[in-house]
Amino acid sequence: MTTGVRRRMGVEERRQQLIGVALDLFSRRSPDDVSIDEIAAAAGISRPLVYHYFPGKLSLYEAALKRASDDLAERFIEPQEGPLGARLLRVMRRYFDFVDQHGPGFSALMRGGPAVGSTNTNALIDGVRQAAYLQILAHLRIERPPARLELVVRSWISLAESTALIWLDGRRIPRTELEAQLVHDFAALAAVSAAYDPEMADLLRHMLANEPAEGPFTDLIGRLVSLAS
């Protein structure tokens, strides 16, 4: 008969465990409502031991946020194959998977939380936005975007953030509809910009050239035509 012996964790292993525990708690409730005592209890260690690895909840929150921001940035990575509309739809599904899993933490980060306004937090948020921006440009196969395209892409990323926050407040609109709507929003923003700029018009024509009849961009065109008829 063997008896269970709790294995002693190394320093980095314990830090990673605490970050995981904290991220799980922050994902289910606002970080402001989660105490160090709760984190310690969930990790199976004492409160003083938590402080041995992290000087306070703010530093632990920032470490958890770093892991979450890396995860969120990876949601925008998509093979550059096939129609653009389908690619963006898959990205939005993964994006909303993250929002769904980390709702309170995502909301606290964007609306106000214990680390909001800190240099580290702002850098993490900006890093996610920049990663998303570069991924979209990669899908468009453009290295040096003109000013209007930069405006379109960055505006769309901000719109995705705002849409996710509104959805979390009651989830009154079906998630799948919002995912498709955001892909439509990207095409609509590009179309409005194309009306003012020949370079954007060429880009829009290229975007739509390879879209299949069942793709989200074609679906948007059909919906708009039906409104005018």
Side-chain angles (χ1 to χ4, degrees):
M1 179 177 178
T2 59
T3 57
V5 177
R6 180 178 294 180
R7 183 173 60 86
R8 184 181 181 88
M9 291 187 182
V11 173
E12 185 56 28
E13 187 180 7
R14 177 66 77 182
R15 279 179 56 84
Q16 293 305 315
Q17 183 219 14
L18 286 170
I19 290 170
V21 167
L23 181 58
D24 178 62
L25 291 171
F26 294 153
S27 295
R28 290 187 272 121
R29 296 187 359 247
S30 170
D32 282 325
D33 297 332
V34 177
S35 69
I36 288 291
D37 287 334
E38 288 181 86
I39 295 171
I45 61 176
S46 66
R47 175 189 175 97
L49 194 54
V50 175
Y51 285 111
H52 175 73
Y53 294 100
F54 293 94
K57 190 172 80 170
L58 178 59
S59 63
L60 182 51
Y61 175 74
E62 288 182 341
L65 180 59
K66 174 65 168 62
R67 182 182 291 185
S69 65
D70 289 344
D71 181 4
L72 182 55
E74 289 177 359
R75 306 290 173 119
F76 286 89
I77 299 175
E78 172 73 22
Q80 297 173 25
E81 302 170 354
L84 178 62
R87 284 181 261 163
L88 291 181
L89 185 57
R90 288 192 291 270
V91 167
M92 284 297 95
R93 286 170 179 162
R94 289 196 298 271
Y95 181 79
F96 271 86
D97 281 344
F98 179 92
V99 173
D100 203 3
Q101 294 163 9
H102 303 282
F106 179 86
S107 181
L109 170 62
M110 297 302 175
R111 287 177 170 157
V116 167
S118 76
T119 302
N120 289 342
T121 304
N122 290 339
L124 290 172
I125 298 170
D126 289 342
V128 172
R129 291 168 177 160
Q130 184 65 10
Y133 172 71
L134 293 176
Q135 281 295 317
I136 299 303
L137 292 185
H139 284 289
L140 297 173
R141 293 179 170 80
I142 294 177
E143 294 183 3
R144 296 183 178 180
R148 289 186 187 275
L149 178 59
E150 180 174 1
L151 179 61
V152 165
V153 177
R154 293 197 185 279
S155 296
W156 182 70
I157 292 169
S158 296
L159 179 61
E161 291 178 7
S162 300
T163 300
L165 286 171
I166 293 170
W167 177 73
L168 283 171
D169 188 14
R171 308 188 185 206
R172 293 169 293 172
I173 301 175
R175 172 185 151 176
T176 54
E177 289 183 14
L178 287 183
E179 292 165 355
Q181 182 177 315
L182 279 166
V183 177
H184 291 169
D185 287 334
F186 182 85
L189 286 169
V192 171
S193 184
Y196 290 87
D197 184 81
E199 190 172 10
M200 284 298 300
D202 287 341
L203 176 62
L204 182 64
R205 281 190 287 268
H206 180 72
M207 283 171 46
L208 298 177
N210 299 318
E211 287 296 311
E214 68 277 8
F217 287 168
T218 309
D219 176 52
L220 172 61
I221 294 173
R223 289 173 183 268
L224 293 175
V225 169
S226 67
L227 288 175
S229 61

